[in-house]
Amino acid sequence: MGSSGLLRVQFPITVLLSCMFTLSSGSEMSFVTCGSVVKLLNVKHNVRLHSHDVRYGSGSGQQSVTGVTTAEDSNSYWSVRGTSDAACHRGTPVQCGQNIRLTHVNTGRNLHSHYFTSPLSSNQEVSAFGENGEGDYLDEWTVLCAGSVWQREESVRFRHTSTEALLSVTGEQYGRPIHGQREVHGMMVSSSHSYWKTMEGVFMKPSQTGSRDFSIHTEF
């Protein structure tokens, strides 16, 4: 990772133009694909999954993950990727029950969980971990959805593959230096706090040509 802390893996210009066309004509593609860069909204609390280069003062001390009400913040973009054991080629629809990684675009760290306690609710801590998109097996999440593939308009859940905790928000708010941001944590029991929906983003179209799993440009 460079000194700016940004992950910079460039789109080929033809791919970028194709992505932007897909975004502007959303009726073309109703499902989420690997390589897409998205914002995820917690449906109950109306906050977007967010991270930034601010570390927890307790627990793991890793990069914090929160929920924010602001729609425009670029620190809420996440790239949908395959796992270290199972690549997911760009443009491939994400299957219900598939294990994925969600990589924070601006810092290159993966959505992560473990048995540390979250600072506000004492649930399971959720953090961002790794460098340049590579962390460990605790970065993997299973997409839980109703049909065969993850639909863009569908409310889905993300179950941490190793601990089985569900990515959740229950409303607790941080003070300084991230005043008003909501705690994001893992919960073992499914509830309305655990449902997420894709919002803004660049959705990769299925392609007949082979391509890399992770090819993004961070400056939208």
Side-chain angles (χ1 to χ4, degrees), residues 65-94:
V65 171
T66 62
V68 297
T69 56
T70 306
E72 297 80 14
D73 197 322
S74 66
N75 273 318
S76 300
Y77 279 113
W78 300 82
S79 176
V80 180
R81 304 175 61 208
T83 66
S84 56
D85 295 330
C88 187
H89 295 293
R90 188 172 61 208
T92 303
V94 177

Side-chain angles (χ1 to χ4, degrees), residues 87 148 177:
S148 59

Side-chain angles (χ1 to χ4, degrees), residues 143-159:
V143 181
L144 303 180
C145 45
S148 59
V149 298
W150 178 5
Q151 299 288 335
R152 285 173 57 180
E153 295 299 319
E154 182 182 7
S155 295
V156 304
R157 294 170 296 159
F158 299 99
R159 184 177 64 207

Side-chain angles (χ1 to χ4, degrees), residues 107-210:
T107 63
R109 296 190 173 102
N110 298 323
L111 189 69
H112 183 94
S113 193
H114 37 219
Y115 287 119
F116 287 98
T117 300
S118 63
L120 301 183
S121 66
S122 298
N123 286 300
Q124 184 168 304
E125 184 189 274
V126 171
S127 63
F129 176 75
E131 296 292 337
N132 293 320
E134 297 305 322
D136 63 21
Y137 69 100
L138 294 173
D139 300 339
E140 297 180 12
W141 299 79
T142 305
V143 181
L144 303 180
C145 45
S148 59
V149 298
W150 178 5
Q151 299 288 335
R152 285 173 57 180
E153 295 299 319
E154 182 182 7
S155 295
V156 304
R157 294 170 296 159
F158 299 99
R159 184 177 64 207
H160 189 240
T161 307
S162 292
T163 67
E164 299 190 346
L166 294 164
L167 186 69
S168 305
V169 175
T170 49
E172 296 83 3
Q173 295 188 34
Y174 287 103
R176 296 178 62 184
I178 50 175
H179 179 74
Q181 295 186 21
R182 307 307 201 274
E183 181 184 85
V184 173
H185 49 248
M187 298 182 68
M188 301 307 295
V189 177
S190 180
S191 70
S192 59
H193 301 291
S194 306
Y195 283 86
W196 301 81
K197 182 180 176 181
T198 57
M199 301 298 287
E200 306 81 7
V202 175
F203 295 84
M204 302 298 290
K205 296 171 72 173
S207 172
Q208 293 181 348
T209 60

Side-chain angles (χ1 to χ4, degrees), residues 29-100:
M29 194 172 67
S30 61
F31 47 84
V32 179
T33 55
C34 292
S36 295
V37 177
V38 301
K39 292 183 179 181
L40 294 168
L41 180 78
N42 183 277
V43 177
K44 182 173 178 63
H45 295 277
N46 199 36
V47 293
R48 285 162 174 78
L49 187 68
H50 181 89
S51 193
H52 37 229
D53 198 9
V54 176
R55 295 183 176 272
Y56 288 121
S58 60
S60 69
Q62 294 174 2
Q63 182 171 302
S64 57
V65 171
T66 62
V68 297
T69 56
T70 306
E72 297 80 14
D73 197 322
S74 66
N75 273 318
S76 300
Y77 279 113
W78 300 82
S79 176
V80 180
R81 304 175 61 208
T83 66
S84 56
D85 295 330
C88 187
H89 295 293
R90 188 172 61 208
T92 303
V94 177
Q95 304 292 312
C96 295
Q98 182 174 340
N99 294 344
I100 62 168

